[in-house]
Amino acid sequence: QQQVRQSPQSLTVWEGETAILNCSYEDSTFDYFPWYWQFPRESPALLIAIRPVSNKKEDGRFTIFFNKREKKLSLHITDSQPGDSATYFCAASAETGNYKYVFGAGTRLKVIA
Amino acid sequence: EAAVTQSPRNKVAVTGGKVTLSCNQTNNHNNMYWYRQDTGHGLRLIHYSYGAGSTEKGDIPDGYKASRPSQENFSLILELATPSQTSVYFCASGDGGGADEQYFGPGTRLTVL
């Protein structure tokens, strides 16, 4: 079963636009939500993360919005740049699961100049 | 000076053969993880370890074994490789705990013919 779902599967935006990547989860015990990005032919790397004590986490052009009641979160990338083109993975972990990550299937973002 | 290295980087195996994938980390992290990455599935956890001598089953352990002989090394073993195990395998290390950033190796592309 897929506990973490991401949408859309792929997304294309123009340079300068805001890209919105969505993530939802089922397990209410999840208490840590990192986003990893992966460039072609490279390995995943941590981009930004949030805990449910906050409903927003910002790091430069990247912002996570978190809705605990609806079990949804989204990653907003403002002023998108061609260098942001990558696959973005939403993940979740919980103390009850020994903090193992459960990854979503990813959203492939393409930013056109 | 890469902190997580994997070998081999590419491997072609025959069905029924034994395959060993190796991972070494210099982060001095307690936790190490093996994932496989397939299109449409994101990253799925196969086995993980909390320290030397320990191995735990992840979400998709069938057909795989793991070995953690030391803090630095974590191996993934396919005793009888099958074509369905053709994938890209990533090793990662992390401190453990609630905000455990995982650091990924470069990946091993395995093809089972």
Side-chain angles (χ1 to χ4, degrees), chain A residues 3-5 23-27 29-36 50 66 73 89-95 97 99-104, chain B residues 35 59 98 102:
Chain A
Q3 299 183 55
V4 176
R5 289 188 171 84
C23 180
S24 63
Y25 61 98
E26 299 173 5
D27 189 339
T29 65
F30 285 144
D31 58 10
Y32 179 63
F33 300 89
W35 285 80
Y36 279 73
I50 193 169
F66 183 75
L73 56 161
F89 293 100
C90 173
S93 69
E95 182 178 8
Y99 292 112
K100 296 177 299 173
Y101 283 1
V102 178
F103 282 90
Chain B
Y35 296 91
D59 298 320
Q102 294 185 15

Side-chain angles (χ1 to χ4, degrees), chain A residues 32 36 38 42-44 46 51 89 93 98-105, chain B residues 35 37 40-43 45 48 50 90 97-102 104-105:
Chain A
Y32 179 63
Y36 279 73
Q38 183 179 29
E42 294 190 13
S43 52
L46 179 65
R51 287 196 168 278
F89 293 100
S93 69
N98 294 320
Y99 292 112
K100 296 177 299 173
Y101 283 1
V102 178
F103 282 90
Chain B
Y35 296 91
Q37 184 174 34
H41 290 280
L43 293 147
L45 183 64
Y48 61 104
Y50 292 124
F90 285 100
D100 174 31
E101 177 177 356
Q102 294 185 15
F104 285 80

Side-chain angles (χ1 to χ4, degrees), chain A residues 27-89:
Chain A
D27 189 339
S28 58
T29 65
F30 285 144
D31 58 10
Y32 179 63
F33 300 89
W35 285 80
Y36 279 73
W37 57 351
Q38 183 179 29
F39 297 98
R41 295 173 297 283
E42 294 190 13
S43 52
L46 179 65
L47 171 62
I48 188 172
I50 193 169
R51 287 196 168 278
V53 292
S54 304
N55 57 19
K56 180 180 177 181
K57 178 73 176 291
E58 197 168 354
D59 185 356
R61 296 185 294 107
F62 300 89
T63 302
I64 300 174
F65 292 94
F66 183 75
N67 186 322
K68 186 175 183 178
R69 183 179 60 84
E70 295 187 5
K71 297 181 185 175
K72 292 181 178 179
L73 56 161
S74 59
L75 176 68
H76 292 225
I77 307 172
T78 57
D79 188 24
S80 296
Q81 301 297 310
D84 298 332
S85 298
T87 299
Y88 291 76
F89 293 100

